[in-house]
Amino acid sequence: MQQTFTFIILFSLLGQYLTGQKNMISLDSISNFYNELKTESKKNIELWNKDLYGPILLINPKTRAIFANEADENGILKAAGNVYTGVLPDKINIANTALDWNGKRWAMIMLPLPQNKYNRVGLLAHESFHRIQPSLGFELSNAENNHLDQKEGRVYLRLELEALKKALKSVSEKELQGHLTNALTFRKYRHSLYNGSNVSENLLELNEGMAEFTGVVVSNRNKTQTAAFLVDGINSFFKNATFVRSFAYYTVPVYGYLLYNKDKNWNKKMTGKTDLTDYFMKAFNITIPDRSNNTVTTISDHYNGRIITEEETKREEKKKKLIAEYKSKLIESPHFEIKFEKMNVSFDPRNIIPIEDKGTVYPTIRVTDKWGILTVENGALMSPNWDKISISNPVRIEGEKISGDGWVLELNEGYNIEKNEANDNFMLVKKKDLQKN
């Protein structure tokens, strides 16, 4: 990431939090949401020896209306009963994340919030963890895990999660130990197939996995409710189009919760350098003597291994066709390349599509930069090193508003687009650069 721009990734809602309330939410309801988190945070202050409750922005994504629990440093937000209101500037992407704005570090969460109180508190706690995350020594890292869009990567992740589901339902310590051993066997075998995958997976798990573990604990469900929530979450996760950026929400919370039942302080022993796989193996006293292909094939039969392999084989064939379509549209055919200067980006991590060494397709994405705002709803290719994005060629130019197949670009003053007559590609240029030519 040796870039000259500020590199920030903002993430959208994940599946288990998508069920929301009615569109009309009163200020009293907003105040109540804040009180719920405040109460549960104080009950669980020993989780991190820090109070999770702090500056929060609830945002209506349709109107960009802000409902905050405290004032900002610049006086932009105005008091309205027990909350503060305002409008989020267009240059800031709306997502569930943490951000620095108007003199404070905030947790930002999109409205509507979940109807279920446990889910609601869990979501607020998750994003509030991201707010205090730097002070806990965890870097905000979201490494690429494109191997989890490959057949074998998906198979052995699904097998690991199936084993974790059975671990949550275990009725004896011996049964629990057996399923955890198998889960970690699948994990270590997956890592052996893809060089560096242990490192890239660990980076995302330290970031999103620890945040989601925090949400699970602070939501304050009982043991039966927690096990059911985690199992349901895994089942919903399997329906995602891709696993590459969302798997950590479902692995670490299970390992972490099961370990939390044995050691309430395990998470406070973590650092930004901890290898979670090795840590969990030692903490659960698990030894994996053999993780050969024969071993994982044999134990996979206990976790729907044959069905999973058949499903992933069929998916692989469909994915090849989809990749060919995107390669034709965004690489081989004339297209529009936009280089980044100081980029912010928000996207849905559940549906991205890695394209070999060419980058990753984001079916939906919103980018803000010095040059303006790009909103895509029909696919854009992000370069491997995040220095540019490619979309289809423009079909309509109306002053500063340019549009194409499923995308709209709102240009700031000082920028224009230019066509390369040699290859019919379009590019974004500064007007002063045009004048030099």
Side-chain angles (χ1 to χ4, degrees):
M1 296 183 190
Q2 300 300 315
Q3 307 292 346
T4 57
F5 51 74
T6 302
F7 188 82
I8 303 173
I9 304 177
L10 307 176
F11 286 91
S12 301
L13 277 171
L14 288 185
Q16 69 198 94
Y17 293 131
L18 284 175
T19 303
Q21 293 129 359
K22 296 178 181 178
N23 291 332
M24 298 302 293
I25 300 175
S26 69
L27 293 181
D28 287 341
S29 295
I30 296 290
S31 181
N32 181 58
F33 299 156
Y34 287 132
N35 288 334
E36 288 174 344
L37 177 63
K38 189 174 185 178
T39 298
E40 298 304 330
S41 295
K42 289 192 180 300
K43 289 181 184 177
N44 292 278
I45 200 163
E46 292 184 358
L47 180 63
W48 291 106
N49 289 335
K50 282 181 178 288
D51 192 348
L52 277 175
Y53 189 76
I56 302 173
L57 302 173
L58 297 181
I59 311 290
N60 183 329
K62 294 182 178 180
T63 65
R64 305 188 72 86
I66 296 172
F67 304 91
N69 60 337
E70 57 183 71
D72 63 303
E73 294 291 339
N74 298 334
I76 301 298
L77 302 176
K78 306 301 180 184
N82 294 324
V83 301
Y84 294 82
T85 62
V87 178
L88 192 70
D90 286 342
K91 66 180 181 180
I92 300 178
N93 286 315
I94 301 173
N96 291 347
T97 187
L99 79 161
D100 296 307
W101 179 67
N102 281 357
K104 292 186 178 182
R105 183 166 176 79
W106 306 81
M108 179 201 290
I109 301 97
M110 292 189 291
L111 292 170
L113 297 182
Q115 291 180 328
N116 180 282
K117 178 183 175 181
Y118 297 120
N119 291 0
R120 186 164 61 242
V121 171
L123 173 58
L124 292 170
H126 177 117
E127 303 307 336
S128 293
F129 170 86
H130 285 313
R131 185 184 64 80
I132 67 168
Q133 187 173 345
S135 68
L136 297 173
F138 293 94
E139 295 181 8
L140 280 74
S141 176
N142 293 287
E144 298 284 352
N145 283 280
N146 290 349
H147 64 284
L148 294 180
D149 204 52
Q150 303 299 314
K151 175 186 171 183
E152 297 297 305
R154 286 177 58 92
V155 165
Y156 289 104
L157 175 61
R158 288 181 63 179
L159 287 169
E160 178 185 0
L161 288 168
E162 289 289 352
L164 289 178
K165 283 166 54 179
K166 291 198 173 186
L168 287 163
K169 299 175 181 178
S170 296
V171 296
S172 68
E173 188 66 28
K174 181 179 180 181
E175 185 181 357
L176 172 64
Q177 195 76 357
H179 291 308
L180 284 174
T181 298
N182 290 340
L184 288 163
T185 299
F186 292 133
R187 170 179 281 236
K188 294 289 282 187
Y189 183 72
R190 179 174 72 249
H191 291 168
S192 73
L193 297 177
Y194 302 97
N195 186 40
S197 60
N198 59 322
V199 175
S200 60
E201 287 186 21
N202 194 64
L203 286 171
L204 190 60
E205 288 184 317
L206 284 171
N207 188 20
E208 297 298 346
M210 296 303 290
E212 186 61 11
F213 161 75
T214 300
V216 169
V217 173
V218 175
S219 61
N220 208 27
R221 298 176 183 87
N222 62 35
K223 288 187 176 182
T224 301
Q225 291 169 327
T226 300
F229 170 75
L230 292 170
V231 170
D232 289 345
I234 291 172
N235 289 334
S236 295
F237 167 71
F238 288 151
K239 300 174 185 177
N240 287 358
T242 186
F243 300 159
V244 300
R245 282 193 176 272
S246 51
F247 74 95
Y249 289 75
Y250 306 93
T251 51
V252 171
V254 178
Y255 289 114
Y257 172 71
L258 293 172
L259 185 54
Y260 187 71
N261 291 334
K262 299 173 61 175
D263 178 5
K264 300 295 186 193
N265 295 306
W266 80 265
N267 56 292
K268 288 180 284 193
K269 303 169 188 175
M270 299 294 98
T271 71
K273 305 296 182 183
T274 298
D275 184 315
L276 287 169
T277 301
D278 289 346
Y279 187 91
F280 289 139
M281 288 180 65
K282 292 176 184 176
F284 288 114
N285 194 28
I286 288 174
T287 301
I288 303 176
D290 178 20
R291 56 177 186 271
S292 66
N293 183 265
N294 289 335
T295 299
V296 295
T297 299
T298 299
I299 62 174
S300 71
D301 290 340
H302 301 292
Y303 305 101
N304 302 319
R306 293 181 182 179
I307 294 175
I308 289 173
T309 301
E310 289 174 3
E311 290 177 347
E312 292 303 327
T313 299
K314 293 178 181 178
R315 178 189 180 274
E316 188 79 357
E317 292 303 314
K318 291 181 180 178
K319 189 189 75 170
K320 288 178 181 178
K321 294 180 181 179
L322 184 60
I323 287 176
E325 292 174 4
Y326 275 123
K327 286 178 69 176
S328 174
K329 176 182 177 181
L330 301 173
I331 299 174
E332 297 163 353
S333 299
H335 54 274
F336 182 11
E337 291 187 357
I338 303 175
K339 293 184 178 180
F340 298 137
E341 296 180 35
K342 190 173 183 181
M343 166 268 284
N344 282 271
V345 56
S346 64
F347 56 87
D348 187 337
R350 298 168 298 166
N351 62 5
I352 61 179
I353 305 165
I355 306 292
E356 301 159 0
D357 61 345
K358 306 299 183 183
T360 301
V361 170
Y362 291 78
T364 57
I365 191 168
R366 185 178 191 268
V367 183
T368 61
D369 204 312
K370 289 182 177 180
W371 37 255
I373 301 172
L374 172 67
T375 305
V376 179
E377 296 180 351
N378 195 24
L381 177 67
M382 182 72 73
S383 64
N385 59 355
W386 286 68
D387 65 342
K388 65 181 179 180
I389 193 167
S390 299
I391 50 181
S392 60
N393 270 349
V395 296
R396 181 175 298 178
I397 301 175
E398 301 171 316
E400 305 301 315
K401 185 177 181 180
I402 304 163
S403 57
D405 178 19
W407 62 263
V408 176
L409 174 62
E410 301 168 76
L411 281 181
N412 288 335
E413 185 178 353
Y415 292 87
N416 210 334
I417 65 171
E418 182 180 68
K419 184 178 181 180
N420 185 329
E421 298 297 339
N423 56 22
D424 290 331
N425 286 345
F426 277 79
M427 68 186 82
L428 186 67
V429 295
K430 292 183 179 180
K431 288 184 178 179
K432 62 180 181 180
D433 293 335
L434 285 173
Q435 294 171 356
K436 290 179 181 179
N437 296 330

